[in-house]
Amino acid sequence: MTTPYDPAQNQPPAGQQPMPPTAQFPQVPAGQFPPPAPGQFPQQPGQFPPPPGTPAPAARKRPWLIPTLIGIGAFVVLCCGGSTVMGLVSGDDKKTDVSASSDIPAASPSTSAPAAVAPSTSAPTPAKPEPAETTAAPAPAKPKTFGVGDKVRGGDFEFTVNSVKCGISQVGSKYLNTKAQGTFCKVNVTVKNVTKSAHTFHADGTLTAQDGAGREYEADGEAGIYGNSDGQGFLDKINPGNSVKANVYFDVPKGTKLKTITFDAGLFTLAEDAVVTL
């Protein structure tokens, strides 16, 4: 507890003159303050220096220092790191641009720059080659048709149709004869053996006749016996090179016109049948 001010305490010792009150402090010009002691802050206007013997106040902490350092560090990171990130991003953008530009096809010279006009030359125009002559493929040969009087090969024999007569109602003599169901067509043929051995010719089963409607008629064996003086055409044995002339009869409906005569080549030969058109 501070004692009240006692004037007797400020009395000088005996033998000394009392000091004026202002003698306790160093004299400084008006409006100035004595220099601060080490470890003290300078006095601001309007403040009074602490009395002698008073301990200097402890230095105040700076609460702004740590936030300031943090802010500076963040700024440095943003500046340096941001530039690095921007460099990486710009590098990716450049790669993307390069890849995109590589995908785009280059403009053709005709669109980017006008084509150079070639100087006119007086070289002669080459003559057009003449088209090669093309020959049409030969048409396939039509099978030869045979008529009356032609010799036709059929198997082991060579046949010739000499004549054809239709409208016959009866064949034979007055006493020995045969009558037709419709009418007889007589076909006179010549048969020649063209092989190197003897063969038997039988008209019945060897010759057939066809009309315009495609109907086929067989030879009448009985009419063939009555219609030939010697029975020619009925199981005739013909030696090589010899020939036989015979009449072959076909019983057909009245009014029928025969169109073809076919000579059967036989079952035991590879030769084709011979056909004569009437």
Side-chain angles (χ1 to χ4, degrees):
M1 182 175 180
T2 307
T3 58
Y5 177 74
D6 188 4
Q9 293 179 358
N10 297 324
Q11 294 297 323
Q16 291 184 1
Q17 296 182 358
M19 295 178 64
T22 60
Q24 298 178 1
F25 305 95
Q27 298 294 324
V28 294
Q32 296 183 0
F33 299 95
Q40 295 183 356
F41 293 98
Q43 296 181 357
Q44 301 296 330
Q47 295 182 357
F48 296 95
T54 305
R60 292 182 299 174
K61 295 181 179 181
R62 297 177 176 82
W64 52 268
L65 181 60
I66 294 176
T68 302
L69 294 177
I70 294 174
I72 292 173
F75 178 76
V76 171
V77 170
L78 290 175
C79 290
C80 298
S83 62
T84 303
V85 172
M86 291 298 292
L88 293 176
V89 172
S90 62
D92 294 340
D93 293 340
K94 289 180 180 179
K95 291 180 181 179
T96 304
D97 294 339
V98 170
S99 63
S101 62
S102 63
D103 294 337
I104 300 175
S108 61
S110 60
T111 57
S112 59
V117 178
S120 60
T121 58
S122 59
T125 304
K128 295 182 179 179
E130 296 182 358
E133 296 181 359
T134 57
T135 57
K142 295 181 180 180
K144 184 178 180 180
T145 57
F146 301 93
V148 176
D150 294 334
K151 297 178 180 181
V152 184
R153 175 72 180 268
D156 297 329
F157 302 99
E158 181 183 78
F159 300 93
T160 303
V161 176
N162 301 315
S163 62
V164 178
K165 181 181 179 182
C166 294
I168 303 172
S169 60
Q170 178 178 317
V171 177
S173 64
K174 182 177 179 182
Y175 301 102
L176 298 173
N177 57 62
T178 181
K179 293 183 178 179
Q181 297 172 351
T183 184
F184 286 116
C185 284
K186 182 179 71 173
V187 178
N188 183 261
V189 296
T190 300
V191 182
K192 182 179 181 180
N193 184 355
V194 292
T195 65
K196 295 181 179 181
S197 59
H199 293 284
T200 301
F201 170 72
H202 184 60
D204 190 4
T206 302
L207 276 70
T208 56
Q210 297 82 27
D211 61 9
R215 294 176 294 184
E216 185 173 87
Y217 306 95
E218 293 184 357
D220 190 326
E222 186 180 359
I225 294 174
Y226 290 114
N228 290 284
S229 58
D230 241 357
Q232 297 91 337
F234 181 77
L235 297 176
D236 289 329
K237 191 139 181 112
I238 305 174
N239 286 322
N242 291 339
S243 60
V244 173
K245 184 178 286 187
N247 294 321
V248 182
Y249 294 87
F250 298 96
D251 193 348
V252 300
K254 292 181 179 181
T256 300
K257 293 182 179 181
L258 299 180
K259 183 177 181 181
T260 55
I261 302 294
T262 301
F263 300 91
D264 190 358
L267 298 176
F268 304 101
T269 179
L270 297 178
E272 295 182 356
D273 296 344
V275 179
V276 174
T277 303
L278 302 178

